Amino acid sequence: MADRRRINGPVGTTNPPIYDDAPEKQSEGVKVTRSRPANVIRKMYLKTGVTPSASGSAYLEIESSGNGGSGLKLSCSVHGPRALPRSTPFSPHIILSTHVKFAPFATKQRRGYIRDPIERDLGTHLETALRGSIIADRWPKSGVDIIISIVEGEQDRETSKAQGIEAWDTMNALSGCITVASVALADAGIDCVDTVAGGVAALVQDAGNDAAPSIVVDPIPSEHEKVLAACCIAYLPTRQEVTNLWFKGDLPASDMDVYTQLIEKGIQASKSANRVLVDCLNETVG
Amino acid sequence: MPLDTSAYSLALLRVDGRRWNELRRIHAQIRTQAAADGSSYLEMGHTKVMCVVNGPSEPGPRRGATSGGGGGGGQSKNAEVAVNIVIAGFSSVDRKRRGRGDKHILELQSTISQALAASLHTHLFPHSTINISLHVLSQDGSLLAALINAATLACVDAGIPMTDYVAACTAGSTSTYAANDEGADPLLDMNHQEEQELPGLTVATLGDSDRVAVLVCESRVQVSRLEGMLAVGVDGCKQVREILDRVVREKGIKMIQEGTVERGVGLNDMELD
Amino acid sequence: MASSQHVLLSPAELAYLHASLNLTPPIRPDGRSPTQFRPLVAETGILPGTNGSARICFADGTEAIVGVKAEVERTRTRHDFPSLDEGTEDDDDLDDNQNDVIKGDNDWVEMTVEIPGYRDDDAGTVFLSVMLSEALLADGEFTKRLWINQRFHWKLYLDILLISPPLSYPLPLLSLTTHLALLAARLPRLKSEGDEDPLFDDDWAAAPYLYPRPSEKGSKATAPAPAARPPVTLLVMAVGNNIIFDPSKEELAVADVALAVSVGESSSTTTSTTSSKPTAMDIDTEETKGHNLRLLSVRTIDPPSRLTPPGIPNASNSAYGANAGVKDTEKKKQQQEQARTAESEAVEGVWKAPRGGAKTLVMATMVQKVLEKGGVADEVLDALDGVDLN
């Protein structure tokens, strides 16, 4: 259905400009490979209180891969807790509503204003991750809205054309969403059992020789030849519990060890992100 | 593919080999689904629909596109009949996806809702809702008629008191409007091909009587032909009613024999073989 | 959505149910063993107008119909990156070499889920359809089956209808029905060759199955893809340390954690990337006729238990004489203390909605239980083998 309420871009297709420098690099056969150690996540910048009108807000930026691509930039605002409208039936708990939206210009392919299935799916994942962390029964009959806009999605110019890569990018986006929403919830003063943070780990096949697949945390799909499987985990470090787990890929059932390792690495990534998160919150308070 | 109507005048046989006053095979089942209060499955030729009735029950939170008819919802003195139609993407030859807000579906929903609200004793269930959800699995003409018949059967299965069966069927005419043929014969129970080319109407009557409950004509037709079509349609509805009645009775007998229900007092004269 | 639907159980009932599921072995309300599924009726090929169709009816009355429809579509070449296409067009004379490059695209599959009473853009409905398509597309092998030639491909539409009202969380039902519909799906046999406009055989009996049958030995040798099976998504939940399969609505209402695990089966020829001893594996599968399972996706489902109303322990319930005859100031202090303990500590027999997440160990065991040899996934696939495909 066409969106008639806003001014949209042109209906027909337009060819995006092709910049010369990128293909040149490719033709030289220089492919950017991962320079970080396998168990180190990228640097991230986290700040609270970016939206004064919201009861809590946060901004997250993850550095770009340095591959002509863009990093991840998210902003989250939390509205509430506030009373539910009179027509809603009684609820003994706070009602979460999560809303994840890519800005129309966030990715290489322009996104519409109406949320597409991927964005709705991200919203559901986020809701599951947060619902485990907040103490919902302290606010009966109330609701809270968590709105995340992805200002810049993580996508590489050259590699996004290859199939299936976008799917892996959504996992990184989800982990960012979880971290930023957790900070914004804390900023809004909503009681949580613990701060939840997102972490991604992937089983990757590197380019060139048929080396055995290895597990890396916070993967950038374009840096690897092939991503075999990945998981995104929302983890509560002090309780040592997982509130949301999303695994996808293709693993033989006989390799449960690989799966377990992947989950462990995901938790490790989540713990790393959590340290940044706690520092940021300390800064806000102090 | 355009329908060749010229052949009809030669052998007086229609594209699928039927005479002008013949119905297609109607096959129906009731109580197809254990979880619902009432359910039915109906085939009219290759048109296949399923119906699930829930209620009368307390109206839940209003959601989505349900079209209410025969009463103003939870606060009224009559039960609301909410009809929801899902036309499966695979139901027609060429896949065509219809959204929920599709005007055609909304019209079907309100037609069925109003027709049933008139026949069901909705005044017995104030402040409640009867949810009828219809699924179209395959379509080959006479869709509205099939939906009405399936909904009637499911309401019977749900045990909602009603005046009589609402039986529906379609009627058409052997030549197109443009042909302006005075001697055009009426046709009974149109299939998809005939519906595409020829003028037609859907009529539903209340039980054995000649009382028309629904009359929908969406095509251009000469007034002189209308009367003939209507008469054939009403006659077809009586045949359909007989078939529906037989389905209900057969199921009832089977249930008594299986011992799922007690044999009622008034049923002594009913033959059980 | 269906998973967070309100269950009409009182806190006392929830506490009782939770306690009985937490026993070793757990006692389920319908007397099933933890890994036992509810009985179901399944049939395939019910709709001649589709390429493949299936219907499954669970014993509790929930019913789903899936229809698969395929249409020929022209493959869009990507114009925005001419460098990609140049490579393939340059060496046209190496045609036979080119034909081997079978590429799939995830856009070739379109899945819609219809649940009566829910909008099709409802978060839960979208979640279901994304989850089901994710499992289907996970290995990237499926879309290759839809490839016709360089210029054309099949576009597959999967329409999933839930006929009954959503009584229990419909995920396993929809997944099993989709599995059967895909197994029963056939595409017309291609008569044309190479990259010319596709021409198909009219004979439906000659149409090959989308997933070639292992029993057809002759065709198996020539089939481009080895015999595999569509994925199955299973719903697993845990209460305490007990892992319970195919939970009913009431059981899900007290779940500590619920997972949807998608499992696929590939043929044994697929090189297992990380397996330490692939040869031994092959022999093993040949002998035991076990399934070569692959883990495709795992997702946490938000259990509805988090939205259940909590119970109040008698100690803090004034209706049971708590705090009677205590001075006001003391009473207040006491109440505050009680409120704190009530929130943090569980009282035996009083229901409290679970808080926090799940222990990693429990989650790992849940996946393990699905995948292990002779485990639940094996059983389910064996049972589905028994369905007569016509």
Side-chain angles (χ1 to χ4, degrees), chain C residues 235-252:
Chain C
L235 189 62
V236 196
M237 66 169 238
V239 173
N241 286 325
N242 284 334
I243 289 149
I244 291 161
F245 283 86
D246 189 28
S248 65
K249 181 187 176 189
E250 290 79 18
E251 287 168 326
L252 207 56

Side-chain angles (χ1 to χ4, degrees), chain B residues 33 90 92-93 95 97 100, chain C residues 61 63 114 118 157 159 164:
Chain B
Q33 228 236 319
F90 49 76
S92 46
V93 177
R95 196 197 121 94
R97 176 134 174 78
R100 251 173 223 223
Chain C
E63 182 178 6
E114 291 267 9
Y118 289 90
Y157 295 95
D159 291 284
S164 59

Side-chain angles (χ1 to χ4, degrees), chain B:
Chain B
M1 206 200 316
L3 176 68
D4 184 15
T5 48
S6 58
Y8 177 76
S9 54
L10 301 174
L12 295 180
L13 287 175
R14 291 152 70 177
V15 271
D16 48 8
R18 281 182 291 152
R19 303 261 177 209
W20 64 274
N21 61 350
E22 271 176 321
L23 284 172
R24 288 177 290 176
R25 187 183 85 104
I26 297 183
H27 168 76
Q29 288 174 341
I30 63 171
R31 192 150 295 195
T32 50
Q33 228 236 319
D37 290 328
S39 53
S40 67
Y41 170 76
L42 183 113
E43 287 178 20
M44 282 176 84
H46 289 296
T47 303
K48 297 173 185 172
V49 295
M50 276 182 125
C51 181
V52 171
V53 171
N54 272 301
S57 59
E58 193 182 346
R62 273 201 155 268
R63 27 174 148 71
T66 49
S67 82
Q75 299 310 314
S76 92
K77 282 186 173 171
N78 294 335
E80 179 197 9
V81 181
V83 178
N84 183 29
I85 299 177
V86 175
I87 298 189
F90 49 76
S91 63
S92 46
V93 177
D94 294 314
R95 196 197 121 94
K96 189 174 166 194
R97 176 134 174 78
R98 289 178 182 278
R100 251 173 223 223
D102 189 287
K103 293 284 185 297
H104 180 61
I105 294 183
L106 289 181
E107 194 190 344
L108 288 176
Q109 286 178 349
S110 82
T111 310
I112 296 168
S113 165
Q114 280 164 13
L116 286 171
S119 170
L120 296 170
H121 289 186
T122 52
H123 62 276
L124 296 175
F125 309 101
H127 312 295
S128 45
T129 311
I130 299 165
N131 275 305
I132 300 178
S133 114
L134 287 151
H135 297 263
V136 179
L137 303 179
S138 163
Q139 28 179 338
D140 182 25
S142 305
L143 181 63
L144 177 59
L147 290 172
I148 291 176
N149 293 337
T152 305
L153 281 179
C155 284
V156 170
D157 182 29
I160 304 170
M162 58 202 290
T163 334
D164 207 333
Y165 293 94
V166 185
C169 109
T170 51
S173 187
T174 46
S175 65
T176 56
Y177 171 78
N180 206 359
D181 178 8
E182 279 302 314
D185 282 337
L187 293 176
L188 185 64
D189 194 13
M190 302 169 76
N191 63 22
H192 179 69
Q193 259 191 315
E194 289 168 340
E195 253 180 14
Q196 294 295 94
E197 295 282 323
L198 303 172
L201 52 82
T202 302
V203 59
T205 60
L206 204 59
D208 258 341
S209 66
D210 280 340
R211 288 167 61 194
V212 173
V214 174
L215 179 59
V216 177
C217 179
E218 287 170 323
S219 51
R220 199 180 257 255
V221 64
Q222 278 86 358
V223 184
S224 54
R225 291 197 217 164
L226 191 67
E227 200 176 328
M229 285 162 66
L230 193 56
V232 168
V234 169
D235 189 50
C237 289
K238 285 185 182 157
Q239 293 182 48
V240 172
R241 185 201 173 269
E242 288 307 309
I243 296 168
L244 299 187
D245 193 47
R246 198 160 61 233
V247 170
V248 172
R249 282 179 195 278
E250 273 169 12
K251 181 70 186 179
I253 290 168
K254 212 168 157 200
M255 281 165 66
I256 291 172
Q257 281 170 344
E258 285 169 356
T260 34
V261 282
E262 288 276 308
R263 191 185 171 124
V265 232
L267 292 177
N268 289 328
D269 51 339
M270 205 162 95
E271 284 185 29
L272 287 189
D273 323 279

Side-chain angles (χ1 to χ4, degrees), chain C residues 5-6 13 51 84 96 139 152 170 197 209 227 231 246 287 298 304 382:
Chain C
Q5 221 176 17
H6 277 289
E13 286 168 317
N51 288 67
L84 252 190
D96 45 349
D139 55 356
F152 292 92
D197 285 3
Y209 285 96
D246 189 28
E287 278 176 358
V298 179
D382 278 337

